[in-house]
Amino acid sequence: MSTRFLGIPAVVWSLLALVIAAIFVYVWPSDKVPGDTTSIRYLILRWGHTLVWLLIAGFILLRSVGAVTLANLLGTLAGLTYLAFIATLVMN
């Protein structure tokens, strides 16, 4: 199994995903949160995109060490989390 993509080690890709997650801790769609929003909507908008990148980082690391089943679970969770984030973002 190759632990490289485009010649770059999986650890570097995973670290890049963690850096992006760290950026989204500070950058989030706060202007899309009305004053009367529910707590679950706020939670999804505030931490959803960060969670997606954390799950992607875990996916990359687990795939690189051969834990394919668990990695696929994290990848699926990342996709579902992203769908929830986008759906929450566009709903008013």
Side-chain angles (χ1 to χ4, degrees), residues 12 20-21 23 29 32 36 58 64 68 82 92:
V12 174
I20 294 170
I23 290 169
K32 294 285 187 177
D36 61 343
S64 71
V68 176
Y82 187 67
N92 286 324

Side-chain angles (χ1 to χ4, degrees), residues 65-88:
V65 297
V68 176
T69 304
L70 187 54
N72 288 343
L73 176 63
L74 287 184
T76 302
L77 288 174
L80 292 173
T81 304
Y82 187 67
L83 286 174
F85 174 77
I86 293 299
T88 305

Side-chain angles (χ1 to χ4, degrees), residues 5-84:
F5 179 70
L6 298 176
I8 300 171
V11 173
V12 174
W13 287 111
S14 185
L15 287 174
L16 178 63
L18 289 174
V19 167
I20 294 170
I23 290 169
F24 278 107
V25 167
Y26 299 104
V27 179
W28 63 288
S30 57
D31 59 325
K32 294 285 187 177
V33 180
D36 61 343
T37 190
T38 63
S39 59
I40 190 70
R41 183 167 190 244
Y42 177 83
L43 184 69
I44 292 171
L45 287 175
R46 179 64 184 99
W47 297 108
H49 212 258
T50 303
L51 179 59
V52 168
W53 283 103
L54 289 174
L55 291 168
I56 289 171
F59 168 79
I60 294 167
L61 279 178
L62 288 172
R63 290 289 288 204
S64 71
V65 297
V68 176
T69 304
L70 187 54
N72 288 343
L73 176 63
L74 287 184
T76 302
L77 288 174
L80 292 173
T81 304
Y82 187 67
L83 286 174

